[in-house]
Amino acid sequence: ISEVRSISYNLRPSALDHFGLVTALRLLCSEFEKLHDIQIEFDTDVAPHKRFDPDMEIALYRIAQEALTNCGKHSKASAAYLHMTETKDELSLSLTDNGVGFKSASKSDQKIISKHFGLINMRERTELLAGKFKIESSPGKGTSICATVPLKPKSKDAEDKNPIC
């Protein structure tokens, strides 16, 4: 029963529906700390009960979840910093860890992303929201990911030019 509840919660966290993205991310960080020996600091300038488009909220939650999972599996970090910032036009979510890092591709991170499904998923979720995804890493200096998405929905013309289905 516990495992089924866990799977159900991970499919659609009730905190996201009830309390919004900020509270859901705080809870995610707290749960992550319990399961891993990595201290997570979460910081945001977004009001705790502010709501965004539901698709944006679940996408950013999943990006944070995947970034933390990668941190726990690969980074050997002792600490990580999750930060969410809202401007007039954008919402940015970044995770920086103090782990072992990895050698980035010289011109872009595309070579690295193409080999790892978690990174692919984070990039695709960001791009579905017409956002930008960036990874920075170097051996011995940790890793930083950042997803920035526009707050305003795409115009009808843009949707017609880029149909999802």
Side-chain angles (χ1 to χ4, degrees), residues 70-104:
N70 285 350
C71 181
K73 283 183 180 178
H74 308 294
S75 76
K76 299 180 183 170
S78 62
Y81 177 67
L82 183 64
H83 183 71
M84 187 168 64
T85 303
E86 179 184 13
T87 66
K88 183 180 80 163
D89 300 322
E90 298 177 323
L91 190 61
S92 292
L93 181 71
S94 64
L95 180 78
T96 302
D97 68 48
N98 66 351
V100 296
F102 55 88
K103 185 176 179 183
S104 291

Side-chain angles (χ1 to χ4, degrees), residues 9 39 53-54 58 71 85 90 107 122 160:
Y9 176 81
Q39 181 182 350
D53 174 79
I58 192 66
C71 181
T85 303
E90 298 177 323
K107 286 194 173 187
M122 287 188 279
D160 291 341

Side-chain angles (χ1 to χ4, degrees), residues 1-157:
I1 291 173
S2 175
E3 191 174 332
V4 170
R5 283 186 181 151
S6 177
I7 292 169
S8 174
Y9 176 81
N10 286 328
L11 288 174
R12 181 70 189 187
S14 60
L16 195 57
D17 292 328
H18 292 94
F19 304 111
L21 184 59
V22 172
T23 299
L25 289 174
R26 283 194 198 287
L27 291 170
L28 177 66
C29 291
S30 177
E31 280 297 310
F32 182 84
E33 282 184 322
K34 289 177 189 175
L35 297 173
H36 303 273
D37 192 22
I38 302 173
Q39 181 182 350
I40 307 296
E41 180 182 341
F42 176 63
D43 180 50
T44 184
D45 61 4
V46 178
H49 297 295
K50 182 160 186 183
R51 300 310 302 258
F52 299 97
D53 174 79
D55 292 336
M56 180 185 298
E57 287 188 344
I58 192 66
L60 290 173
Y61 181 87
R62 293 288 180 231
I63 290 166
Q65 189 177 43
E66 185 63 42
L68 286 169
T69 298
N70 285 350
C71 181
K73 283 183 180 178
H74 308 294
S75 76
K76 299 180 183 170
S78 62
Y81 177 67
L82 183 64
H83 183 71
M84 187 168 64
T85 303
E86 179 184 13
T87 66
K88 183 180 80 163
D89 300 322
E90 298 177 323
L91 190 61
S92 292
L93 181 71
S94 64
L95 180 78
T96 302
D97 68 48
N98 66 351
V100 296
F102 55 88
K103 185 176 179 183
S104 291
S106 58
K107 286 194 173 187
S108 76
D109 52 19
Q110 191 60 42
K111 189 185 298 180
I112 291 165
I113 289 174
S114 67
K115 296 178 183 177
H116 302 283
F117 289 116
L119 297 175
I120 291 169
N121 289 337
M122 287 188 279
R123 171 158 284 190
E124 286 178 350
R125 286 180 193 279
T126 304
E127 289 175 351
L128 282 173
L129 295 171
K132 295 174 244 160
F133 183 75
K134 183 178 180 182
I135 299 172
E136 293 180 1
S137 188
S138 59
K141 295 188 178 178
T143 301
S144 180
I145 67 104
C146 184
T148 302
V149 296
L151 288 172
K152 295 179 183 173
K154 290 188 268 182
S155 69
K156 182 67 176 150
D157 291 338

